[in-house]
Amino acid sequence: MDLLLSSLQILARWDVMLALLIGSVGGVMVGSLPGVGAAVAIAILLPATFSLEPIVGITALLGIYGSSMFGGAIPAILINTPGTPVNALTTYDGYPMTKRGEGRRALSLAYSSSFFGGVFSILCLILLAPMLASIAPMFGAREIFLAALLGIVLVVLTHRGQILPAAMLAGFGIFLSTVGLEGSALTQRYTFGLTFLTSGIDLIVVVIGLFALSQGFLLLIQSDRAYELPAVGGRFFQGLAELFHFKRIATVGSSFGVVCGMIPGVGEFMSQFLSYSYAQRTSKTPEKFGKGNPEGIVASEAANNSVPAAAMIPLLALGIPGEELTAMMLAVFYVHNVIPGPQLFQGQMDFVLALYIALLLLNVMVIIFLMFSTDLLMQVMRIPSRFLGMMVLTFSLIGVYSLRNSLTDCAVAAAFGVFGFILKRMDLPTSPIILGIVLGALMEDKLRTAMARVKTPWDFIDRPIAFILFSLIVLVIGLHFWTEIRVRRAAENESGRAPPIPEQTGGS
């Protein structure tokens, strides 16, 4: 009870509540803009939060992170274009419902399912918090190093079909983390005599370049599209009542979201796929999936919105982000000098609980806002993409310049923006670079500390948690190669199989 009261005291301030409200409403609006997304908004707003207290700045950006998927369902249902990538599955059944005049019902179900998934996952995590706090003291330098290494391995391996590029980009990020003055002997590494590299490559400059500027370039080269928006006036309360008819699908879908969110590198896409597949298999009308079945909307929206809160577990407990948005949030925590890891759960459990309560309040604010403002959000979708691109570029460069009043930072950000643009055009991931930067410095620091007490390789993993983490790394890599070998053998057998002999027709 004392912990809960302490957490509520952290949040019970007008500036924290205002930041949460602005972040929540802003996240919904950003999510409803196809092509922008939460990562771009967080990258642009990150410099503006520097002058704020950590809880205020983090709450505002957490609001954007947690609410963007609510807004992403609107264009997915109305114009068959997902506002964020994780709303893609919602288009399967949402848009057909709109075409047959049930747009309001589809939106109402999407809002209600997202709200249910968000609240369900937060309650699960609040119940799990004491267990996490109890095992936090068992993490030392070796365990944190191995946990960070496990995170990089998982994130690389989840980029199936792009594992080599993802590994190279993660390695590039680790290399970037070594540029500048070395921590113990203060020797310069990879500075090439350039003064601006002495202090290292600023994480925020890289984040804004890779996420915001690159997306601004992409928006600029897109042609403006005139969307024909259907009329869906009225209130949206009916979905809350109708959700009770689909409570089994919503509960199972949210459970998939919680489990997938807690595993680094899995995230929203896998949880949606599992939830949608389960709903289709157990439905009395599976043939209607993809043709406007409300069960499909409930399954996908409940699953994807239960992931953000669950993804905060590995992020806060171990400092391991699972995908692009959580990598962004990890950068946010570091910038505000809140170091995720076991010490956070051990020493600042009230702060962690305050973040969960903030996520709970966020869901309430967003559902109320959406019930009355969908007409306004539909007009937001009319903003031309090239205008959005110019706005993103302008605000991004202003944000970079405001960091240190440095044109050099703007040039570095522009260079990373072009690099990110090329990666996106080649359909390659950008998040491994950020993971490499934030985890590379952490791994180097913990490895130095751990090696002072290690004499043999076995000493590194002779403690229970360290041994479990090392075993998981070996197991994950082994499973990956085993799966690859099986897939390759199946493909070879398929290609080597003789074509079927056509049946003879006619009598003989």
Side-chain angles (χ1 to χ4, degrees):
M1 184 56 74
D2 292 341
L3 189 63
L4 180 62
L5 291 176
S6 177
S7 305
L8 291 175
Q9 283 179 348
I10 293 175
L11 290 176
R13 289 168 37 184
W14 71 267
D15 51 352
V16 176
M17 287 294 105
L18 182 63
L20 186 61
L21 178 63
I22 293 174
S24 304
V25 173
V28 174
M29 297 181 73
V30 166
S32 64
L33 285 169
V36 180
V40 176
I42 291 174
I44 293 174
L45 292 177
L46 192 51
T49 66
F50 278 11
S51 58
L52 304 175
E53 291 184 40
I55 184 64
V56 180
I58 289 174
T59 302
L61 299 176
L62 193 65
I64 295 174
Y65 173 46
S67 63
S68 60
M69 294 172 204
F70 279 92
I74 298 174
I77 290 171
L78 298 183
I79 58 175
N80 203 26
T81 303
T84 65
V86 298
N87 297 106
L89 210 54
T90 307
T91 62
Y92 286 17
D93 294 285
Y95 188 60
M97 287 182 71
T98 299
K99 285 201 296 184
R100 63 174 188 244
E102 296 181 308
R104 188 176 70 173
R105 183 189 176 201
L107 284 173
S108 182
L109 272 174
Y111 298 162
S112 306
S113 305
S114 296
F115 177 73
F116 180 87
V119 173
F120 180 90
S121 61
I122 294 163
L123 293 178
C124 287
L125 298 174
I126 289 176
L127 293 174
L128 285 174
M131 185 184 73
L132 292 169
S134 67
I135 63 172
M138 301 172 71
F139 277 78
R142 286 171 253 181
E143 288 79 6
I144 295 175
F145 170 82
L146 288 169
L149 182 61
L150 175 62
I152 287 184
V153 169
L154 283 171
V155 170
V156 168
L157 293 184
T158 50
H159 287 91
R160 191 171 292 276
Q162 297 179 320
I163 288 178
L164 182 59
M168 293 176 67
L169 290 169
F172 178 60
I174 293 173
F175 164 73
L176 291 177
S177 72
T178 65
V179 175
L181 279 180
E182 183 267 334
S184 56
L186 298 180
T187 55
Q188 295 192 18
R189 297 187 298 194
Y190 311 115
T191 59
F192 306 104
L194 299 172
T195 307
F196 74 94
L197 287 178
T198 305
S199 58
I201 297 177
D202 192 279
L203 173 64
I204 305 308
V205 173
V206 180
V207 166
I208 294 176
L210 282 179
F211 289 93
L213 288 177
S214 63
Q215 192 64 28
F217 294 144
L218 278 178
L219 289 168
L220 279 180
I221 64 171
Q222 290 178 1
S223 57
D224 294 330
R225 287 184 286 179
Y227 296 118
E228 294 185 6
L229 302 176
V232 288
R235 298 291 180 257
F236 295 87
F237 295 102
Q238 69 182 67
L240 287 172
E242 191 174 2
L243 187 64
F244 283 99
H245 296 297
F246 307 112
K247 55 182 178 295
R248 176 181 55 82
I249 295 173
T251 305
V252 174
S254 301
S255 303
F256 278 128
V258 171
V259 174
C260 291
M262 291 175 65
I263 304 173
V266 178
E268 293 93 350
F269 293 102
M270 180 61 76
S271 67
Q272 282 183 92
F273 174 76
L274 293 173
S275 177
Y276 195 86
S277 300
Y278 167 80
Q280 188 173 24
R281 278 201 319 271
T282 58
S283 173
K284 295 178 180 176
T285 56
E287 72 281 359
K288 292 183 179 179
F289 273 72
K291 300 174 183 176
N293 193 329
E295 293 174 294
I297 295 178
V298 174
S300 60
E301 287 298 312
N304 69 32
N305 209 52
S306 59
V307 170
M312 298 296 284
I313 283 288
L315 188 71
L316 292 172
L318 302 174
I320 299 175
E323 37 76 41
E324 192 172 87
L325 275 176
T326 44
M328 291 283 297
M329 287 306 298
L330 183 60
V332 171
F333 282 110
Y334 275 103
V335 166
H336 287 283
N337 204 28
V338 176
I339 309 300
Q343 289 79 10
L344 189 65
F345 272 72
Q346 189 179 1
Q348 295 178 267
M349 195 60 207
D350 54 346
F351 181 84
V352 175
L353 195 54
L355 292 181
Y356 286 145
I357 297 172
L359 279 171
L360 193 63
L361 293 174
L362 176 155
N363 279 272
V364 176
M365 289 179 181
V366 169
I367 192 73
I368 294 173
F369 175 69
L370 283 171
M371 292 294 179
F372 297 98
S373 62
T374 298
D375 290 339
L376 170 66
L377 292 169
M378 288 171 61
Q379 302 308 315
V380 171
M381 288 187 287
R382 295 182 186 276
I383 299 176
S385 60
R386 288 176 179 169
F387 176 77
L388 281 176
M390 282 304 301
M391 294 294 288
V392 168
L393 290 179
T394 303
F395 284 113
S396 300
L397 290 174
I398 290 174
V400 172
Y401 186 75
S402 68
L403 291 172
R404 292 181 290 200
N405 296 334
S406 169
L407 288 176
T408 304
D409 283 346
C410 293
V412 173
F416 276 102
V418 173
F419 184 51
F421 173 75
I422 295 171
L423 291 178
K424 289 179 178 176
R425 294 287 288 177
M426 295 174 66
D427 199 24
L428 292 175
T430 52
S431 54
I433 300 176
I434 303 300
L435 287 169
I437 295 176
V438 296
L439 292 182
L442 176 70
M443 289 169 65
E444 181 184 0
D445 179 55
K446 297 303 176 186
L447 185 62
R448 284 177 185 274
T449 305
M451 291 306 289
R453 301 177 181 175
V454 170
K455 294 181 180 178
T456 66
W458 175 250
D459 291 342
F460 205 87
I461 55 172
D462 64 350
R463 297 197 297 198
I465 299 293
F467 183 77
I468 291 171
L469 290 169
F470 177 76
S471 302
L472 283 174
I473 293 171
V474 174
L475 181 65
V476 167
I477 295 175
L479 280 174
H480 168 74
F481 282 109
W482 183 64
T483 305
E484 287 291 314
I485 291 171
R486 284 191 60 186
V487 170
R488 187 167 300 179
R489 284 180 179 173
E492 288 174 355
N493 292 336
E494 190 69 23
S495 61
R497 188 176 298 166
I501 300 174
E503 294 181 3
Q504 292 183 347
T505 57
S508 62

